[in-house]
Amino acid sequence: MISRENRLQKQLAIPVELLDGTARQRPWSNLGDWSEASEYNTACKALACRIGRAANLSSGDTLLELACGHGASLSIWPAEFGVQAVDAIERQTQALASIEGDRPSALRNLWQADVNLIFSGDCAWPQDESYDALVVVDAAYHFRGLRAFLDKSSSRLKSDGRIAFTTIILGSKWEFAADWRKWFIMKLAAHALIPAESLVTEKDLAESFLAAGFGSPSCVALDREVLEGFVRFVERRRRELDWRQRVSAGWWKVEATAAAARYLVRTGLMQYVLIKAVKV
C-alpha cells in the first residue's frame, strides 16, 4: 500500500525530463522567469537569481533555503552571489538523492523534513542555527499558512536578516468575483496542493510580515515574467514532444499547470509575486 507521504511526494514531483529534455543530476523544477529567457533551464536559473538579488545575498552570508527541490539553486548561491555557507531543507526523497549524488561545494547541511510540520510546531527545526538570509524558490505557495511560515522563519533569522520568496496571492479583483468563480479557483488551488490558508490579499500579507517581526515587505507582481512566460513555453514545448510524451501523466500535469496559469492571468483573481522583507 502506498503511504500518504509517498502519494504527496508523487504529486509534488515535476516531470523535469519533459521540460528540459535532459537527464541532469540536479535538474531545475520551477515556473521560471521568462523575461529574458527562452529555454527552461535558463528561465529557472533566472527566477532563482531574481530571488537571490531580492534577498541581497553576498559572500559573507549564511543562507537557509527551504524546499530546495533537486538542488539546482544550491549551486547558484555561491556561483552568482559568492555565498559559501548554505543549509537546505527538502522533503522529497528522490530530490534529496539528486543532491547527495552531486553535492554542491557550499552546502553545509541538507535535511529531510516537511517544513509544514515545522511551521505547525509538530516538528522541530533540524538545527538551532541563525541565518543572514532565507529564500524559497517557487514553493512557498505549498506551505500551510503564511503567518506560521513567517513566524518560524523569523525565529531562524538574525537581526536585520533578509527573507525573499515567490508565491501566489489573491488579486485585486478577488473581492468582487462571483462566489462560483472563487469556489472554482480554490478547487484549482487544492488540486495543485496550494492550501487555502496560504492564499491571502496583499493587505493581509503586509499584516502577517509585521506581526512576525519584519518591516513592511516589498511585493512585486511577476505574472507576465513567470506565468505568461511559462504558458508560452509549454505551448512551444508541446510541439517538440512526440505523441507518447504528450499523452503521459507527467505531461498532463504540466498542461494542467499551464492552463491554471493562463486562467489566473486572464481573470486577475490571483497574482504571482516576489516578496522580500528585512527582520527588524
Side-chain angles (χ1 to χ4, degrees):
M1 182 179 294
I2 300 175
S3 69
R4 179 177 181 274
E5 176 62 22
N6 287 339
R7 286 197 301 271
L8 283 172
Q9 290 199 23
K10 188 174 182 179
Q11 284 182 273
L12 287 167
I14 296 174
V16 290
E17 70 282 355
L18 295 175
L19 295 172
D20 69 9
T22 66
R24 289 167 169 258
Q25 180 68 35
R26 287 187 279 113
W28 286 102
S29 56
N30 66 57
L31 292 172
D33 175 355
W34 301 89
S35 53
E36 296 181 4
S38 59
E39 299 302 324
Y40 182 69
N41 291 325
T42 307
C44 290
K45 177 182 177 181
L47 183 59
C49 286
R50 187 186 280 263
I51 292 169
R53 290 192 297 273
N56 197 27
L57 297 181
S58 63
S59 58
D61 287 338
T62 55
L63 172 66
L64 175 63
E65 181 175 1
L66 302 181
C68 67
H70 291 269
S73 54
L74 297 175
S75 294
I76 297 303
W77 314 134
E80 300 293 331
F81 302 97
V83 178
Q84 295 302 310
V86 181
D87 290 349
I89 297 177
E90 171 59 42
R91 73 180 293 174
Q92 299 180 73
T93 52
Q94 185 177 358
L96 289 163
S98 297
I99 301 170
E100 292 293 5
D102 182 22
R103 194 178 178 93
S105 59
L107 183 61
R108 301 186 310 182
N109 298 295
L110 174 65
W111 298 294
Q112 182 174 20
D114 180 350
V115 291
N116 281 318
L117 295 180
I118 295 174
F119 301 153
S120 67
D122 294 325
C123 177
W125 287 101
Q127 186 168 305
D128 188 16
E129 177 84 24
S130 294
Y131 299 91
D132 298 296
L134 185 152
V135 297
V136 189
V137 180
D138 195 36
Y141 43 78
H142 292 305
F143 297 166
R144 287 199 300 268
L146 180 72
R147 180 68 64 87
F149 159 47
L150 293 176
D151 285 343
K152 294 293 185 179
S153 297
S154 178
S155 73
R156 293 273 66 83
L157 286 171
K158 300 174 182 177
S159 180
D160 295 326
R162 293 97 61 199
I163 188 171
F165 59 94
T166 53
T167 193
I168 296 171
I169 65 171
L170 300 177
S172 58
K173 297 181 179 179
W174 179 261
E175 181 182 355
F176 309 103
D179 288 342
W180 72 266
R181 197 179 289 274
K182 291 180 178 179
W183 176 87
F184 179 68
I185 286 284
M186 287 303 179
K187 284 292 185 183
L188 274 181
H191 185 72
L193 297 182
I194 301 174
E197 57 266 37
S198 74
L199 296 171
V200 300
T201 65
E202 189 169 351
K203 178 176 179 292
D204 292 334
L205 185 78
E207 292 175 354
S208 293
F209 269 93
L210 294 175
F214 292 95
S216 297
S218 167
C219 183
V220 179
L222 295 178
D223 293 332
R224 179 180 60 82
E225 294 86 343
V226 176
L227 298 184
E228 290 184 15
F230 184 74
V231 169
R232 290 194 303 271
F233 165 71
V234 170
E235 291 171 348
R236 191 193 82 211
R237 184 65 177 154
R238 184 189 303 126
R239 298 190 293 270
E240 299 171 350
L241 300 176
D242 63 39
W243 70 269
R244 295 177 185 82
Q245 293 169 313
R246 290 197 300 271
V247 299
S248 67
W251 183 250
W252 280 111
K253 183 186 292 188
V254 173
E255 290 280 11
T257 301
R262 190 183 299 110
Y263 183 78
L264 295 183
V265 169
R266 190 178 78 245
T267 62
L269 294 176
M270 292 188 185
Q271 282 189 301
Y272 189 95
V273 294
L274 170 62
I275 304 166
K276 65 178 180 178
V278 178
K279 183 177 176 179
V280 295

